[in-house]
Amino acid sequence: MRSPFRSLLSVLTSAAPAGLLAAAVAVWSVATPAHAEDHAKPAPKTATPKAEAQAKPGAKNGKAKLMLGSPMTKVRFSEPAYPLTDDGTYRSFMDKVLDEYGRRCVRQEQFGWEIAKDDQERLDFIFQGTMANYGRLGFLLGEIHPKSVTDPETIAFLADRNKERYLLVWTPLESSVLFMMCDTAAKDAKADQPKSAPKK
């Protein structure tokens, strides 16, 4: 089965702003996942995942740590990824998506992989392998097409398991791919928070 990202890199080579990869790679740092109790900063004017170029690294020593999988969903990636910090851009973007489905973000994580711009095979491996691992752990995956996602290369899914519902969003850049996820709850019901939500 062909990846939804097939032929993506050749399209993005001409479409992506110059210097975007370098700026995106600069924010890959040792970071813990953002939680609901963390107050996200206001999003920049461009509230899209590609605005991550404006975020600042979270690690002072600049040494990036690779993650084998998502601590939140317990799903292993097909290849280790860099955890990304959030300046509010990711949260703002995912909140807009979830608003269309009457849900809100409780916790979030975001990760990135560097990929050579012509390496379609590796891009497929990362995307397809990671999504297959969600299926292996019992997640029911359904692609969604929210109106707030205007980038045709961005792909969003709802991943359900038991009473948990996650938003998964893949956004490709020129020479990297970003994977954002959000643990969700019903927008108007605090009692509907997933069991995995941190307790205070």
Side-chain angles (χ1 to χ4, degrees), residues 50-186:
K50 293 183 183 181
E52 176 60 24
Q54 299 169 9
K56 300 215 178 345
K60 291 180 181 176
N61 61 8
K63 227 177 181 183
K65 174 178 91 170
L66 289 170
M67 302 285 288
L68 296 176
S70 160
M72 186 168 64
T73 63
K74 309 298 185 220
V75 173
R76 192 176 179 92
F77 303 136
S78 54
E79 187 177 299
Y82 292 99
L84 303 176
T85 57
D86 184 19
D87 66 351
T89 303
Y90 293 143
R91 174 59 68 96
S92 175
F93 176 79
M94 289 190 286
D95 278 341
K96 283 182 182 177
V97 171
L98 288 169
D99 190 56
E100 296 182 39
Y101 298 89
R103 299 190 73 80
R104 60 189 169 85
C105 189
V106 177
R107 299 185 290 162
Q108 73 187 76
E109 292 176 342
Q110 46 276 326
F111 302 91
W113 292 263
E114 284 186 86
I115 300 175
K117 62 183 179 180
D118 58 349
D119 196 347
Q120 184 65 45
E121 186 178 339
R122 185 159 168 254
L123 183 60
D124 290 345
F125 175 75
I126 290 169
F127 172 74
Q128 294 175 350
T130 300
M131 294 304 283
N133 288 343
Y134 273 88
R136 287 188 191 102
L137 283 187
F139 283 92
L140 208 59
L141 299 167
E143 187 174 355
I144 57 174
H145 303 280
K147 293 175 183 176
S148 56
V149 176
T150 55
D151 178 6
E153 303 299 343
T154 295
I155 302 171
F157 297 86
L158 289 178
D160 293 355
R161 184 177 63 180
N162 300 326
K163 293 184 178 180
E164 301 171 322
R165 172 166 282 184
Y166 295 92
L167 171 67
L168 311 177
V169 182
W170 292 87
T171 299
L173 299 175
E174 183 179 0
S175 299
S176 61
V177 63
L178 306 181
F179 180 37
M180 300 168 283
M181 65 188 83
C182 205
D183 187 0
T184 76

